[in-house]
Amino acid sequence: MKTSIIASFSLFLFCAVSSTSQAHLRERREAASEITVTLKLDWNVTALGKPIPPSYTTKVPNGTVVQDIMNKAAGEDKQSPFNYYKNTYYGGLGYLITTINGTGQNQGTSSYWSKFDGDSLVAFPCGGDSYVPYNGSTILFRFTADPYPNNNKSANGYCSGHSTSSQVPLSAITVTIGMDWNTDVIKKSIPSSYSTKVANGTSLREIINKAADQNRRGPFDKYTSTYYGGQGHFITSMNGNKEDSKTDSYWMIYDKTTKELFKPFIDQYKPQYGSTTILKFITSQEPEPSSGCNFMGTSLVVLCLLAIVEAL
Ligand SMILES: *[C@@H]1O[C@H](CO)[C@@H](O)[C@H](O)[C@H]1NC(C)=O
Ligand SMILES: *[C@@H]1O[C@H](CO)[C@@H](O)[C@H](O)[C@H]1NC(C)=O
Ligand SMILES: *[C@@H]1O[C@H](CO)[C@@H](O)[C@H](O)[C@H]1NC(C)=O
Ligand SMILES: *[C@@H]1O[C@H](CO)[C@@H](O)[C@H](O)[C@H]1NC(C)=O
Ligand SMILES: *[C@@H]1O[C@H](CO)[C@@H](O)[C@H](O)[C@H]1NC(C)=O
Ligand SMILES: *[C@@H]1O[C@H](CO)[C@@H](O)[C@H](O)[C@H]1NC(C)=O
């Protein structure tokens, strides 16, 4: 009896001590490496007729790239302007933002989005998925026709290596990605598929980006996507086939074996060992394929997505 009380008490003590020391360690590590960064939007208010939303300041681990900070802003606040932005992926270069919360080239101006170091007003020398800001910096997203106001200085942050690596991880799995559409409707041949070795758990987005990086101007290069806060990148066009509500054309994802269709949220989809993932461009001129939960209307789609997120 006594020994068991002593045993459980010392076990309790051990747990308490080790958990507090772990908490301390974690705190110390975070304090040592966290930096403060501000995201700020800017445009000509007279020309666009829209107010500039408030800026966003946050703490992130040193080394975090700008795109992850934008995505953090989107994840934390449903009203964030970064909750909904469109981009194009260029193989070897990374993402280029085309629209932020509806403001983009569709505005009928010659302006486009550039990212600046807010102090030196130098445009980033690399994409938002490789630019690492420094402590206390402001990242200025400016919708402008002149992205080089201060060409002589250099930005204070730095460009990390481009995100997709050609290194094969130790516990690699082989995955294949391909495309498909009805060639009677879309009169273009189906490009050949792409196989590669990646770490288990790699998202479809990283695999597509790797394919684009390795074959610039290949079928996966320059795909466009919309980023939704909390859900990630959603494919809107690939290999020249663009989603279009007028013709009811859109992209979906399925596994060649199970054939279950998913919305093209490519961060959430993680292909398995030996699998072939097909990106399918569906057009209204063909019979609807059978599906799991995704075709049942928007609210159900949202429910399904929530279920997927929960499962992760
Ligand atoms: C970042 O800057 C803030 C404010 O100047 C400072 O308190 C903090 O310690 C800095 N962080 C690091 C990791 O140096
Ligand atoms: C902003 O837009 C207005 C109207 O198009 C223009 O007259 C003005 O020069 C612009 N301001 C700047 C700083 O570019
Ligand atoms: C952040 O990391 C960079 C590169 O490793 C380093 O040069 C810089 O001093 C670090 N900054 C802070 C505030 O820790
Ligand atoms: C995003 O755009 C919508 C529609 O134009 C607008 O109502 C909303 O205020 C914008 N959000 C931010 C944070 O600018
Ligand atoms: C850049 O440098 C050149 C030559 O050193 C100088 O003539 C020019 O005014 C500078 N431009 C800016 C924007 O500082
Ligand atoms: C990959 O990871 C999943 C989930 O963690 C696991 O179920 C699966 O067995 C792993 N596959 C391989 C080949 O390691």
Side-chain angles (χ1 to χ4, degrees):
M1 183 63 192
K2 217 180 203 169
T3 43
S4 82
I5 291 173
I6 291 170
S8 50
F9 181 65
S10 42
L11 186 68
F12 164 75
L13 249 188
F14 172 76
C15 291
V17 167
S18 66
S19 70
T20 47
S21 68
Q22 260 171 18
H24 274 276
L25 253 181
R26 212 178 309 126
E27 245 167 50
R28 192 133 30 91
R29 215 180 308 131
E30 277 168 13
S33 63
E34 280 214 324
I35 61 166
T36 303
V37 179
T38 298
L39 305 183
K40 195 170 184 313
L41 296 178
D42 186 36
W43 58 68
N44 184 331
V45 174
T46 326
L48 291 192
K50 300 196 230 193
I52 293 169
S55 58
Y56 165 81
T57 299
T58 190
K59 283 193 165 74
V60 292
N62 188 17
T64 305
V65 297
V66 165
Q67 180 160 287
D68 289 339
I69 303 171
M70 295 163 65
N71 298 350
K72 184 181 180 199
E76 283 173 3
D77 179 9
K78 289 258 174 293
Q79 306 306 317
S80 163
F82 296 107
N83 205 0
Y84 177 72
Y85 65 84
K86 297 182 179 185
N87 45 207
T88 306
Y89 187 85
Y90 289 86
L93 295 171
Y95 289 96
L96 189 92
I97 295 174
T98 51
T99 301
I100 298 177
N101 193 34
T103 302
Q105 263 142 323
N106 55 345
Q107 237 64 34
T109 64
S110 58
S111 298
Y112 52 95
W113 285 102
S114 290
K115 299 187 263 343
F116 292 92
D117 177 67
D119 298 320
S120 62
L121 285 186
V122 174
F124 291 179
C126 51
D129 53 340
S130 25
Y131 187 79
V132 178
Y134 59 94
N135 193 16
S137 64
T138 295
I139 309 301
L140 190 60
F141 295 81
R142 183 173 273 176
F143 191 61
T144 175
D146 176 19
Y148 301 110
N150 213 347
N151 234 344
N152 290 357
K153 291 199 211 161
S154 59
N156 293 320
Y158 65 94
C159 295
S160 65
H162 184 62
S163 55
T164 66
S165 118
S166 49
Q167 274 179 351
V168 176
L170 284 176
S171 64
I173 60 169
T174 300
V175 293
T176 300
I177 56 175
M179 289 183 205
D180 191 27
W181 52 78
N182 184 340
T183 49
D184 293 338
V185 181
I186 307 286
K187 306 238 181 271
K188 284 195 279 190
S189 57
I190 310 286
S192 50
S193 56
Y194 167 83
S195 292
T196 188
K197 280 184 157 53
V198 291
N200 189 16
T202 300
S203 71
L204 181 57
R205 180 172 69 90
E206 293 165 279
I207 298 166
I208 293 171
N209 293 355
K210 190 174 175 184
D213 288 348
Q214 292 185 352
N215 184 8
R216 298 187 203 178
R217 293 167 209 214
F220 296 98
D221 191 31
K222 298 192 193 65
Y223 74 90
T224 66
S225 62
T226 301
Y227 185 89
Y228 292 91
Q231 297 179 352
H233 296 80
F234 179 100
I235 292 180
T236 52
S237 81
M238 190 165 269
N239 199 41
N241 296 331
K242 195 176 189 314
E243 70 165 20
D244 185 354
S245 56
K246 285 194 216 90
T247 58
D248 203 16
S249 315
Y250 49 92
W251 285 92
M252 293 291 272
I253 305 166
Y254 70 89
D255 180 278
K256 203 172 177 180
T257 310
T258 66
K259 303 243 176 2
E260 190 185 346
L261 284 161
F262 295 95
K263 290 251 161 193
F265 278 109
I266 51 177
D267 301 80
Q268 294 171 10
Y269 194 90
K270 305 209 162 103
Q272 286 174 8
Y273 164 76
S275 67
T276 296
T277 304
I278 304 290
L279 295 147
K280 183 166 170 81
F281 190 59
I282 294 175
T283 54
S284 56
Q285 292 108 309
E286 61 189 291
E288 273 198 7
S290 64
S291 68
C293 54
N294 285 327
F295 269 123
M296 312 287 287
T298 326
S299 57
L300 246 172
V301 170
V302 169
L303 276 179
C304 289
L305 279 170
L306 284 178
I308 292 167
V309 171
E310 293 268 331
L312 294 175

